[in-house]
């Protein structure tokens, strides 16, 4: 099962469902009101609250994360299309050469 689907899936050895053990979020906001002012902001309370929202919405957000991962993988595949075509042409040339030597 995928990483995401393990949450809620029954474990073979206990029959208990898998659970979301930990959600950790650390945000950093870059904002400087003026010269010499604080340029980086962090808020542990906000991070804690945001992590709780992610925990509550894990199913919905997890599905969105899987969709994003699939999209990113497709983009990489499309970017590699020319390289794959070149490799196939090379393989076809190798095969033709070997067949010519075998004759």
């Amino acid at each position: 099962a995928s990483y995401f689907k393990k949450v809620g899936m029954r474990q073979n050895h206990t029959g208990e469902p898998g659970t979301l053990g930990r959600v950790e979020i650390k945000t950093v906001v870059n904002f400087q009101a003026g010269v010499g002012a604080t340029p980086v902001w962090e808020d542990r309370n906000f991070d804690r609250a945001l992590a709780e929202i992610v925990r509550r919405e894990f199913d919905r957000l997890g599905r969105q994360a899987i969709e994003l991962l699939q999209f990113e993988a497709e983009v990489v595949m499309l970017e590699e299309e020319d390289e794959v075509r070149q490799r196939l042409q090379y393989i076809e040339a190798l095969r033709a050469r070997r067949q010519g030597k075998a004759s």
Side-chain angles (χ1 to χ4, degrees):
S2 74
Y3 177 79
F4 170 67
K5 290 182 179 177
K6 286 178 174 46
V7 175
M9 180 180 282
R10 296 269 173 226
Q11 301 176 62
N12 293 335
H13 66 294
T14 65
E16 296 293 319
T19 60
L20 180 61
R22 187 170 62 214
V23 176
E24 295 177 359
I25 294 179
K26 179 168 179 58
T27 61
V28 176
V29 173
N30 298 315
F31 174 81
Q32 190 169 9
V35 176
T38 301
V40 177
W41 298 81
E42 298 178 21
D43 188 325
R44 285 187 294 194
N45 287 325
F46 178 82
D47 292 348
R48 178 195 49 75
L50 187 56
E52 180 58 30
I53 296 299
V54 169
R55 179 177 287 284
R56 290 179 191 172
E57 298 291 328
F58 184 74
D59 187 61
R60 182 177 60 82
L61 295 173
R63 290 179 200 284
Q64 289 179 350
I66 296 298
E67 289 173 7
L68 178 59
L69 289 170
Q70 288 171 334
F71 175 79
E72 290 172 345
E74 291 169 359
V75 167
V76 169
M77 288 177 66
L78 291 171
E79 289 172 349
E80 294 175 346
E81 182 179 9
D82 287 340
E83 180 182 340
V84 170
R85 286 183 196 278
Q86 289 172 359
R87 292 185 70 149
L88 284 172
Q89 288 174 348
Y90 180 73
I91 290 168
E92 289 169 1
L94 281 175
R95 184 173 289 126
R97 255 197 337 242
R98 288 182 181 232
Q99 288 174 350
K101 288 181 180 179
S103 306

